[in-house]
Amino acid sequence: MSIKERVTTAINEILNEQFGFEIYVILKNGENPIKKFVLDEGKPTAKNSFKNKIKLDIKEEIIKQFLNEESEYSDVADLANEQKRIYEINQDESYYPFKFLSSTECAVNNFSIKDKDNADAFLFKFSFQRKGNLKQFWGYQKIRPTSIPNRKKLFFQLIPKLNHLDIFEELKDQMFVITKKIDLLVINEKILTKDIKLLERHFSFETFIRASAEKAVSAIMNLKIIKNEQKLIDFVRRPNKRYAQKMMQIHNFPVAAMNKEILISRLSSIERWKDSFIIQDGEFYLRHFADVELLIDLFTERYTKSEVSGQEYDTAVKKKALPINQQNSK
């Protein structure tokens, strides 16, 4: 099952039912990371209640962004290709920014006006339970300064006085607005987002990138195919994170699993690669970082040759093709 099939199935399993909807606020500081955001629901059957309006708008945005037929998904290892896709990031003990969502202790208190300066983001919880089986996902919306009207007190805001609809008073404690926007979803242990910059700014995502790149380097080192392995380590630890992003892709391709003797033997018969590397004692010797980049191109099979015309193409973005008979059957 593809990433998109898995994600859309998980979302539809909830949105196609009479699901529950709750809103929380993530706090910048404090022992409890989130608090419940209680909204006026009106009468139990009120379809035009404040809470129901927000629910329908956020649901519509999730459908538009994540369930659209044209939405494309990729594993986070493809990050270096810089495509406008929804990336899937796995959370584990090495990178777990939303671990608090699995805690039963969270959100026992309600959010109040005194918390407004400590508010960092909204969380929209969609859930459905049947026969004791709970399914849920979370939508995340960052609270941005631009969504806090009149922060600099440049104008006066008015509100009808309680029980006096023809008398108006100043609205002094306005909080912020909920926009029709979702920055990311959290489904089980997966984060789904197009906004990698947001993860980098607020969730230490560069740490994840560099750790993933070093795991890829370790996988290459285990092949015993590189004579001077320190060159790989130095490459991914360079200040610009794009080098680490490039290295993350390697494990997705079969070249990395090939027998090294067979691989080196085949390279000698391929025009593109036969003079590209220095081979010493049956291992690659990397003279400089440009050799490391060539090695990544080799392992990710960046270059493709047409079986029909013999023309070679630079394919920075690759996707494994189905056999023609399977393409026709779809």
Side-chain angles (χ1 to χ4, degrees):
M1 185 180 290
S2 69
I3 295 174
K4 182 170 185 175
E5 290 170 334
R6 186 158 29 83
V7 171
T8 54
T9 297
I11 293 174
N12 280 323
E13 282 179 341
I14 296 172
L15 295 190
N16 290 341
E17 302 288 348
Q18 293 296 316
F19 58 86
F21 177 78
E22 300 295 338
I23 306 177
Y24 300 85
V25 175
I26 300 180
L27 303 179
K28 299 172 185 174
N29 303 295
E31 292 182 5
N32 194 344
I34 65 176
K35 289 188 176 183
K36 191 169 184 178
F37 196 72
V38 181
L39 293 175
D40 178 27
E41 298 189 48
K43 296 179 180 179
T45 58
K47 293 184 178 180
N48 62 342
S49 70
F50 185 28
K51 182 177 180 179
N52 197 57
K53 289 178 183 177
I54 294 174
K55 178 181 77 172
L56 295 178
D57 270 6
I58 297 300
K59 174 186 174 181
E60 182 182 335
E61 180 61 22
I62 289 172
I63 292 171
K64 176 182 175 182
Q65 187 173 333
F66 294 91
L67 302 184
N68 193 308
E69 286 188 7
E70 297 180 359
S71 297
E72 294 185 290
Y73 287 75
S74 283
D75 185 90
V76 70
D78 296 329
L79 205 55
N81 296 327
E82 297 182 346
Q83 303 170 80
K84 291 184 178 180
R85 294 186 170 211
I86 299 168
Y87 289 99
E88 181 184 62
I89 300 105
N90 185 54
Q91 296 186 104
D92 56 29
E93 290 305 319
S94 63
Y95 183 72
Y96 213 154
F98 291 99
K99 187 174 184 178
F100 61 87
L101 294 183
S102 62
S103 171
T104 56
E105 301 297 323
C106 66
V108 292
N109 299 319
N110 289 344
F111 183 86
S112 68
I113 189 68
K114 65 181 175 59
D115 298 312
K116 73 182 182 70
D117 292 332
N118 195 26
D120 189 55
F122 287 111
L123 279 172
F124 306 101
K125 180 183 178 182
F126 293 80
S127 60
F128 174 72
Q129 186 167 352
R130 176 176 289 161
K131 296 180 180 179
N133 184 19
L134 176 64
K135 297 180 178 180
Q136 63 184 31
F137 68 83
W138 303 77
Y140 172 99
Q141 181 185 117
K142 178 72 176 173
I143 297 174
R144 295 170 174 84
T146 53
S147 67
I148 306 176
N150 203 26
R151 192 174 191 180
K152 295 182 179 180
K153 306 296 182 184
L154 299 178
F155 50 84
F156 295 102
Q157 299 174 113
L158 305 177
I159 188 172
K161 190 172 183 178
L162 187 64
N163 298 326
H164 295 277
L165 299 183
D166 56 348
I167 300 175
F168 296 87
E169 59 185 2
E170 183 180 2
L171 175 62
K172 297 179 180 179
D173 270 327
Q174 185 167 336
M175 292 191 296
F176 30 68
V177 297
I178 296 176
T179 62
K180 192 173 179 179
K181 179 180 177 63
I182 289 294
D183 296 306
L184 60 85
L185 293 183
V186 180
I187 304 178
N188 299 322
E189 304 306 315
K190 310 288 187 180
I191 300 172
L192 288 306
T193 187
K194 285 184 178 180
D195 197 346
I196 296 299
K197 295 292 185 185
L198 181 138
L199 292 182
E200 291 175 347
R201 288 193 300 268
H202 302 289
F203 296 101
S204 304
F205 191 61
E206 185 169 337
T207 303
F208 171 87
I209 291 172
R210 294 191 180 279
S212 298
E214 296 210 8
K215 286 180 183 177
V217 168
S218 296
I220 298 173
M221 291 166 64
N222 288 337
L223 299 175
K224 304 299 181 185
I225 198 170
I226 307 299
K227 195 171 188 67
N228 52 332
E229 296 170 338
Q230 186 62 39
K231 186 67 72 175
L232 296 174
I233 297 171
D234 294 341
F235 179 85
V236 299
R237 290 181 179 176
R238 297 166 80 182
N240 192 326
K241 65 180 178 294
R242 76 180 184 88
Y243 301 110
Q245 289 176 348
K246 284 187 173 185
M247 188 65 72
M248 288 169 62
Q249 306 173 83
I250 283 180
H251 72 279
N252 283 349
F253 295 88
V255 175
M258 288 180 65
N259 175 279
K260 70 176 181 179
E261 287 80 15
I262 294 175
L263 173 59
I264 290 173
S265 174
R266 286 187 182 176
L267 293 184
S268 64
S269 64
I270 300 174
E271 188 64 31
R272 163 164 290 281
W273 299 113
K274 67 180 182 180
D275 297 318
S276 298
F277 298 102
I278 300 295
I279 306 296
Q280 292 182 356
D281 303 321
E283 296 178 337
F284 291 85
Y285 178 78
L286 305 172
R287 297 160 294 180
H288 31 61
F289 289 147
D291 282 352
V292 180
E293 299 221 27
L294 271 178
L295 188 75
I296 293 172
D297 289 345
L298 169 66
F299 274 46
T300 58
E301 300 187 278
R302 175 175 171 179
Y303 298 99
T304 299
K305 193 169 186 178
S306 168
E307 294 179 2
V308 178
S309 67
Q311 175 66 49
E312 185 179 70
Y313 298 95
D314 181 345
T315 54
V317 180
K318 297 177 70 67
K319 182 179 180 182
K320 188 175 180 180
L322 291 172
I324 291 176
N325 60 337
Q326 292 186 33
Q327 292 179 24
N328 292 337
S329 65
K330 291 192 71 173

